Amino acid sequence: MKASRIHAFGGADALSCEEVPTPTIRDNEVLVRNRAAGVNPIDWKTCSGGGAAAFIGKLPFIPGWEFAGTVEMVGAGVEDYQIGDRVFGFIRFPEAAGCYAEYVAAPVAQIAHKPDELSFSQAGGLGLAGLTAWQALHDKGQLQAGQKVLVLAAAGGVGHLAVQLAKAAGAEVIGSASAANHEYLRGLGCDRLIDYKTQDLASEVQDADLVIDGIGGEVGISALSCLKPGGRLVTLPSVTADAVIRAAEADGKQALGIRVEPNGQQLAELARLCAEGKLQLTLAGELPLSEARQAHQQSAGGHVRGKLVLTIEES
Ligand SMILES: NC(=O)c1ccc[n+]([C@@H]2O[C@H](COP(=O)([O-])OP(=O)(O)OC[C@H]3O[C@@H](n4cnc5c(N)ncnc54)[C@H](OP(=O)(O)O)[C@@H]3O)[C@@H](O)[C@H]2O)c1
């Protein structure tokens, strides 16, 4: 099968599209003919030697942790999936999952049935970002209806889903994004928008129950001032999480880091919200698998709206 992989850590140029062996499946796994693989910042961070590089084992490494496609083979013990089922998933993280490929071996506990409302490309971009948004809002953030949520990087992969999930949970949502994204984010349900290029977050908001910090570092630290007493901030970028948590502790505030975890039940919940029209995935672009380099460059630019996805044609 074709896959995009690296033989040494480096920039986007380290990726090359090659013929590799098709993966084999174990008990409780399915082999999926992949149609789309989502691109996330963790992909290029890991390819450059950061991110999840400590967990992926020996090189070569096929990046990608989320996908959507059609079940082609089922392993022993699989009851809920049959050949031909359309599925999506976020698998094996932080170990290597190999989703930038024509076939993916997926544990059934980490996949769900694809909602008809989403294309393969949209579903291929939902798993990692959708579960991050869900776990940040609900598992870490303990969000309650009626609370005020501030989402930093609201137009990004995680952010645009967090905005919709927070609205679906009955929250009031403030988004931070450049002005060019404000109309788009209003359409997704943001009640209020802040232009981070011209407005100071801390002077604009001081009463958030929950901040979802998709930026981290100094931006995350300054966003601690947006919390009301007793509020909490969930910071997404792992590399600066300790600094944000330390700053919060020094200031008597609560900040938490997160490492998104595969969870098939939560994926099914996301699929249900898609079917109910409460959640949609914006495609920033669809590129063929052979253009994974360009996708990494675009993602690393830091201004993607929604999700970038690599598409894999039916052969
Ligand atoms: N710990 C975990 O488990 C976990 C899981 C998922 C993601 N993450 C991390 O979370 C971060 C966000 O991920 P993502 O996939 O959402 O990233 P992304 O899609 O690349 O985010 C792009 C967005 O960031 C916005 N942006 C850039 N600078 C901004 C600023 N200063 N203030 C507000 N918005 C800004 C851009 O909006 P404009 O174009 O309007 O500037 C763009 O829409 C990444 O660092 C990622 O690695 C961590």
Side-chain angles (χ1 to χ4, degrees):
M1 68 167 184
K2 283 196 191 65
S4 182
R5 65 178 180 174
I6 59 165
H7 291 268
F9 293 120
D13 289 350
L15 283 164
S16 58
C17 207
E18 298 172 0
E19 277 298 320
V20 307
T22 302
T24 52
I25 52 172
R26 298 178 184 180
D27 293 358
N28 300 307
E29 292 187 356
V30 291
L31 184 70
V32 175
R33 175 62 174 85
N34 198 10
R35 297 290 303 279
V39 174
N40 292 283
I42 189 70
D43 301 356
W44 49 264
K45 289 178 187 177
T46 302
C47 285
S48 65
F55 301 96
I56 58 169
K58 284 189 192 154
L59 299 178
F61 165 62
I62 301 172
W65 281 276
E66 59 179 8
F67 70 92
T70 306
V71 173
E72 193 150 302
M73 196 184 290
V74 297
V78 174
E79 290 176 357
D80 297 338
Y81 296 92
Q82 297 177 345
I83 291 170
D85 283 358
R86 296 168 168 207
V87 296
F88 73 110
F90 164 57
I91 57 170
R92 303 190 196 280
F93 189 77
E95 292 173 12
C99 293
Y100 286 14
E102 285 182 310
Y103 288 89
V104 173
V108 288
Q110 300 178 359
I111 66 173
H113 290 281
K114 180 181 89 60
D116 292 339
E117 292 72 16
L118 297 191
S119 65
F120 277 115
S121 291
Q122 289 173 307
L126 182 58
L128 189 157
L131 287 187
T132 305
W134 180 275
Q135 292 168 14
L137 290 167
H138 295 295
D139 299 344
K140 298 282 180 182
Q142 302 288 308
L143 179 64
Q144 306 289 324
Q147 289 190 327
K148 190 178 280 191
V149 181
L150 169 63
V151 180
L152 310 186
V158 177
H160 88 292
L161 299 169
V163 165
Q164 298 172 75
L165 292 175
K167 282 306 286 182
E172 180 185 341
V173 182
I174 307 171
S176 107
S178 62
N181 278 320
H182 286 195
E183 199 180 323
Y184 160 70
L185 286 166
R186 252 180 230 111
L188 291 184
C190 272
D191 298 291
R192 193 178 148 202
L193 284 147
I194 294 170
D195 178 357
Y196 69 86
K197 291 188 173 168
T198 60
Q199 292 173 287
D200 174 41
L201 279 173
S203 347
E204 294 294 328
V205 184
Q206 291 100 25
D207 59 352
D209 296 279
L210 177 61
V211 175
I212 304 298
D213 164 27
I215 302 295
E218 289 305 317
V219 174
I221 290 170
S222 68
L224 290 166
S225 307
C226 301
L227 291 172
K228 75 179 200 190
R232 54 174 74 168
L233 178 144
V234 181
T235 187
L236 304 184
S238 310
V239 74
T240 56
D242 283 348
V244 175
I245 292 165
R246 273 200 306 274
E249 281 167 2
D251 204 13
K253 301 200 161 143
Q254 194 184 4
L256 297 85
I258 183 171
R259 182 162 90 191
V260 59
E261 291 176 4
N263 186 320
Q265 283 172 354
Q266 291 178 348
L267 287 179
E269 190 65 21
L270 296 177
R272 186 180 63 76
L273 289 167
C274 291
E276 289 174 356
K278 292 179 181 159
L279 183 66
Q280 51 184 281
L281 186 132
T282 302
L283 287 173
E286 297 172 81
L287 291 99
L289 183 62
S290 56
E291 290 180 22
R293 286 180 180 188
Q294 288 87 326
H296 276 207
Q297 281 162 350
Q298 213 176 315
S299 173
H303 295 287
V304 165
R305 176 193 280 184
K307 290 297 299 276
L308 272 176
V309 170
L310 297 171
T311 56
I312 300 127
E313 293 305 315
E314 272 181 300
S315 46

